[in-house]
Structures are given as structure tokens and as C-alpha cells.
Amino acid sequence: DAGVTQSPTHLIKTRGQHVTLRCSPISGHKSVSWYQQVLGQGPQFIFQYYEKEERGRGNFPDRFSARQFPNYSSELNVNALLLGDSALYLCASSGLGDRGLHEQYFGPGTRLTVT
Amino acid sequence: GQNIDQPTEMTATEGAIVQINCTYQTSGFNGLFWYQQHAGEAPTFLSYNVLDGLEEKGRFSSFLSRSKGYSYLLLKELQMKDSASYLCAVNRDDKIIFGKGTRLHILP
């Protein structure tokens, strides 16, 4: 059974461009979350989607947006890229039960470099 | 990490036991995760505690006290492959907030 998949693995963009990152959750999982991780820090929460609805948003500017599709895959879009957006972008999927998020599994991440 | 505190670095010896502590603000708390992250890799799920008490999974155990806003991850019979960062993350109001992680060094 495939785990969480993300594409692309690596990406190089220049300032001002936009980027789209993709994620496919574990089969049966309906919730997808996005995180940004810079070197030496823990992941920072960006968005959480469940059943195509946004359920949570972190402290990121409006340049960051996301959506979830009927098959539960998700895209993260970042517009007007800044040098500071260079980071590892992690997608995580989880099965939402009565207890709320229980086990959350991460994909391998997309390494974004902005030059 | 929005008031999630854990030590920056720890060092322990192969075969020994180490306890990594995590404290957090209790408002909006729904549960607490522990993850392991090796350099250059994505975090790997270790545990998720919702209720008070100790949960054991092989060499790893996680403890939670909701009233004290406190958790710890206990690693037994340390192996060299346990050298990694250990991330504490709180499920708070539909957001998962991570601490900065504890880098664990294992000495032979």
C-alpha cells in the first residue's frame, strides 16, 4: 500500500514566480495537511483540508493557498515567491476519527529553492 | 514553536535510556504527537497521546499529563540509528503545532 506521495521532489524557482506542489494521501485518508520546514526548525503548519474543506490555516500570507480534490489529493500554491520561501514542504495525511486526528503520516517532501 | 518547549540537544550512550521532555500551553489541546526525523528526511510518526498516561511501543514509550501540559518520549536500549531529531507536536484547535525539535546524539 503506497504511502503519502509528493511531487516534485526538488524544485528551483526564481523570485516572483509561482509554484504548485502536489500531494496524494494514503488510500482511505481524507485529511491532508501542509507544512513548511526550514533547516534547524520544526515544521510550520500552513493548511489542513478535510473532505475538500479548509479546516485550519497557519500564520502564512495570502500568497499561500491550497485546495483538495474529490480524490483527496491536494495542491499547495505559492505566488510571488520570496527567497525566504526556500524550504522543505511537507504534506501529511491522516484518517479523521472520533478522536480527531490520530495518526498523521508525512510524505517525503518537496525541496523548494528560490534564487 | 508557539510555546512548545523541548531541549535543543541531548547526548546519550548506546544501550542506555534517554527521556526527552516537552512542555506546552494547554489551551485548545486535543492531543500530542512525537515524531522522529533523520537529517534530510521527512518526519516519521512515533506516537499520538490523547489521554493521560504512558503508552509503550517496543523500545519507545510516550507519556502525557494534560493538567501539567507535559509529555515525554522515553527511548530504551539506545542504538546508533536512534541518532535523529525528535519532534513534539500539539494538536490544538485543528492545527498541529510543532516544537523546534530535540537533536539526539548517540555515543558508542
Coordinates of all heavy atoms in Angstrom, one line a residue, chain B residues 52-89:
Chain B
D52 N -4.2 10.9 29.5 CA -3.1 10.8 30.4 C -2.5 9.4 30.5 O -3.3 8.4 30.5 CB -3.5 11.3 31.8 CG -3.8 12.8 31.8 OD1 -3.5 13.5 30.8 OD2 -4.3 13.3 32.9
G53 N -1.2 9.3 30.7 CA -0.6 8.1 31.0 C 0.5 7.7 30.0 O 0.9 8.6 29.2
L54 N 1.0 6.5 30.2 CA 2.1 6.0 29.4 C 1.7 5.0 28.3 O 0.9 4.1 28.6 CB 3.1 5.3 30.4 CG 4.4 4.9 29.8 CD1 5.3 6.1 29.4 CD2 5.1 4.0 30.8
E55 N 2.1 5.2 27.1 CA 1.9 4.3 26.0 C 3.2 3.8 25.5 O 4.1 4.5 25.2 CB 1.1 5.0 24.9 CG -0.3 5.4 25.2 CD -1.1 5.8 24.0 OE1 -0.6 5.7 22.9 OE2 -2.2 6.3 24.2
E56 N 3.3 2.4 25.5 CA 4.6 1.8 25.1 C 4.5 1.1 23.8 O 3.5 0.5 23.5 CB 5.0 0.8 26.2 CG 5.2 1.4 27.6 CD 5.7 0.3 28.6 OE1 6.8 -0.2 28.4 OE2 4.9 0.1 29.5
K57 N 5.5 1.4 23.0 CA 5.6 0.7 21.6 C 7.1 0.3 21.5 O 7.9 1.0 21.0 CB 5.3 1.7 20.5 CG 3.8 2.0 20.3 CD 3.7 2.9 19.1 CE 2.2 3.3 18.8 NZ 2.1 4.1 17.6
G58 N 7.3 -1.0 21.9 CA 8.7 -1.5 21.7 C 9.6 -0.7 22.6 O 9.4 -0.5 23.8
R59 N 10.7 -0.2 22.0 CA 11.7 0.5 22.8 C 11.3 1.9 23.1 O 12.0 2.6 23.9 CB 13.1 0.5 22.0 CG 13.7 -0.8 21.8 CD 15.1 -0.7 21.2 NE 15.1 -0.1 19.8 CZ 15.6 1.1 19.6 NH1 16.2 1.8 20.6 NH2 15.6 1.6 18.4
F60 N 10.2 2.4 22.4 CA 9.8 3.8 22.6 C 8.5 3.8 23.5 O 7.6 3.0 23.3 CB 9.5 4.4 21.3 CG 10.8 4.7 20.4 CD1 12.0 4.1 20.8 CD2 10.7 5.4 19.3 CE1 13.1 4.4 20.0 CE2 11.8 5.6 18.5 CZ 13.0 5.1 18.8
S61 N 8.5 4.8 24.4 CA 7.3 5.0 25.2 C 7.0 6.5 25.2 O 8.0 7.3 25.2 CB 7.5 4.5 26.6 OG 7.8 3.1 26.7
S62 N 5.7 6.9 25.3 CA 5.4 8.3 25.4 C 4.4 8.5 26.5 O 3.5 7.7 26.7 CB 4.8 8.8 24.1 OG 3.7 8.0 23.7
F63 N 4.6 9.5 27.3 CA 3.8 9.8 28.5 C 3.2 11.2 28.3 O 3.8 12.1 27.7 CB 4.7 9.9 29.7 CG 4.0 10.4 30.9 CD1 3.2 9.5 31.7 CD2 4.1 11.7 31.3 CE1 2.6 10.0 32.8 CE2 3.5 12.2 32.5 CZ 2.7 11.3 33.2
L64 N 1.9 11.3 28.8 CA 1.2 12.6 28.7 C 0.6 12.9 30.1 O 0.0 12.0 30.7 CB 0.2 12.5 27.6 CG -0.7 13.8 27.5 CD1 0.1 15.0 27.0 CD2 -1.9 13.5 26.6
S65 N 0.7 14.2 30.5 CA -0.1 14.7 31.6 C -0.7 16.0 31.1 O -0.1 17.0 30.9 CB 0.8 15.0 32.8 OG 0.1 15.8 33.8
R66 N -2.0 15.9 30.9 CA -2.7 17.1 30.3 C -2.8 18.2 31.3 O -2.7 19.4 30.9 CB -4.1 16.6 29.8 CG -4.1 15.7 28.6 CD -5.5 15.2 28.3 NE -6.0 14.3 29.4 CZ -7.2 13.8 29.5 NH1 -8.1 14.1 28.6 NH2 -7.5 13.0 30.5
S67 N -3.0 17.9 32.5 CA -3.2 19.0 33.5 C -1.9 19.8 33.7 O -1.9 21.0 33.9 CB -3.6 18.4 34.9 OG -2.7 17.6 35.4
K68 N -0.8 19.1 33.5 CA 0.5 19.8 33.6 C 1.1 20.3 32.3 O 2.1 21.0 32.3 CB 1.6 18.8 34.2 CG 1.2 18.4 35.7 CD 2.3 17.5 36.2 CE 1.9 17.1 37.7 NZ 2.9 16.2 38.3
G69 N 0.4 20.0 31.2 CA 1.0 20.4 29.9 C 2.3 19.9 29.7 O 3.3 20.6 29.2
Y70 N 2.5 18.6 29.9 CA 3.8 17.9 29.9 C 3.7 16.6 29.2 O 2.8 15.8 29.4 CB 4.3 17.8 31.3 CG 5.5 16.9 31.6 CD1 6.7 17.3 31.1 CD2 5.3 15.7 32.3 CE1 7.8 16.5 31.3 CE2 6.4 14.9 32.5 CZ 7.7 15.3 32.0 OH 8.8 14.5 32.2
S71 N 4.7 16.3 28.4 CA 4.9 14.9 27.8 C 6.4 14.6 27.8 O 7.2 15.5 27.9 CB 4.4 15.0 26.4 OG 4.6 13.8 25.7
Y72 N 6.6 13.3 27.8 CA 8.0 12.9 27.5 C 8.0 11.7 26.6 O 7.1 10.9 26.5 CB 8.8 12.6 28.7 CG 8.4 11.4 29.6 CD1 8.6 10.1 29.2 CD2 7.8 11.7 30.8 CE1 8.3 9.1 30.0 CE2 7.4 10.6 31.6 CZ 7.6 9.3 31.2 OH 7.3 8.2 32.0
L73 N 9.1 11.6 25.8 CA 9.4 10.4 25.0 C 10.5 9.7 25.6 O 11.6 10.3 25.9 CB 9.7 10.8 23.6 CG 10.0 9.7 22.6 CD1 8.8 8.9 22.2 CD2 10.7 10.3 21.3
L74 N 10.4 8.4 25.9 CA 11.4 7.6 26.5 C 11.9 6.6 25.5 O 11.2 5.8 24.9 CB 10.8 6.8 27.7 CG 11.8 6.1 28.7 CD1 12.6 7.2 29.5 CD2 11.0 5.2 29.6
L75 N 13.2 6.6 25.3 CA 13.9 5.7 24.4 C 14.8 4.7 25.2 O 15.7 5.2 25.9 CB 14.7 6.4 23.3 CG 14.0 7.2 22.3 CD1 13.5 8.6 22.9 CD2 14.9 7.5 21.1
K76 N 14.5 3.4 25.1 CA 15.3 2.4 25.8 C 16.3 1.7 24.9 O 16.1 1.7 23.6 CB 14.4 1.4 26.4 CG 13.4 2.0 27.4 CD 12.4 0.8 27.9 CE 11.3 1.4 28.7 NZ 10.4 0.4 29.2
E77 N 17.3 1.1 25.5 CA 18.3 0.3 24.7 C 18.7 1.0 23.4 O 18.6 0.5 22.3 CB 17.7 -1.1 24.3 CG 17.2 -1.9 25.5 CD 16.4 -3.1 25.1 OE1 16.4 -3.5 23.9 OE2 15.7 -3.6 26.0
L78 N 19.2 2.2 23.6 CA 19.6 3.1 22.5 C 20.5 2.4 21.5 O 21.4 1.7 21.9 CB 20.2 4.4 23.0 CG 19.2 5.4 23.7 CD1 20.0 6.5 24.4 CD2 18.3 6.0 22.7
Q79 N 20.2 2.7 20.2 CA 21.0 2.2 19.1 C 21.5 3.4 18.4 O 20.9 4.5 18.4 CB 20.2 1.3 18.2 CG 19.6 0.1 19.0 CD 18.7 -0.7 18.1 OE1 18.6 -0.5 16.9 NE2 18.0 -1.7 18.7
M80 N 22.6 3.2 17.6 CA 23.2 4.3 16.9 C 22.2 4.9 15.9 O 22.2 6.1 15.7 CB 24.5 3.9 16.1 CG 25.6 3.4 17.1 SD 26.1 4.6 18.3 CE 26.8 5.9 17.2
K81 N 21.3 4.1 15.4 CA 20.3 4.6 14.4 C 19.3 5.5 15.0 O 18.5 6.1 14.3 CB 19.6 3.4 13.7 CG 18.7 2.6 14.7 CD 18.0 1.5 13.9 CE 17.1 0.7 14.8 NZ 16.4 -0.4 14.1
D82 N 19.3 5.6 16.4 CA 18.3 6.5 17.0 C 18.8 7.9 17.0 O 18.1 8.8 17.5 CB 18.1 6.0 18.5 CG 17.5 4.7 18.6 OD1 16.7 4.3 17.7 OD2 17.8 3.9 19.6
S83 N 20.0 8.1 16.5 CA 20.5 9.5 16.4 C 19.7 10.2 15.4 O 19.6 9.9 14.2 CB 22.0 9.5 15.9 OG 22.9 9.0 16.9
A84 N 19.0 11.2 15.8 CA 18.0 11.9 15.0 C 17.4 13.1 15.8 O 17.8 13.3 16.9 CB 16.8 11.0 14.6
S85 N 16.6 13.9 15.1 CA 15.8 14.9 15.8 C 14.5 14.3 16.2 O 13.9 13.5 15.5 CB 15.6 16.1 15.0 OG 16.8 16.8 14.8
Y86 N 14.0 14.7 17.4 CA 12.7 14.2 17.9 C 11.8 15.4 18.1 O 12.1 16.3 18.8 CB 12.9 13.4 19.2 CG 13.6 12.1 18.9 CD1 15.0 12.0 18.8 CD2 12.8 10.9 18.6 CE1 15.6 10.8 18.5 CE2 13.5 9.7 18.3 CZ 14.9 9.7 18.2 OH 15.5 8.5 17.9
L87 N 10.7 15.4 17.4 CA 9.8 16.5 17.3 C 8.5 16.2 18.2 O 7.9 15.2 18.0 CB 9.3 16.8 15.9 CG 10.4 17.0 14.9 CD1 9.9 17.0 13.5 CD2 11.1 18.4 15.1
C88 N 8.2 17.2 19.0 CA 7.0 17.1 19.8 C 6.0 18.1 19.1 O 6.4 19.2 18.7 CB 7.3 17.7 21.2 SG 5.9 18.0 22.2
A89 N 4.7 17.6 18.9 CA 3.8 18.4 18.2 C 2.4 18.3 18.9 O 2.0 17.2 19.2 CB 3.7 18.0 16.7

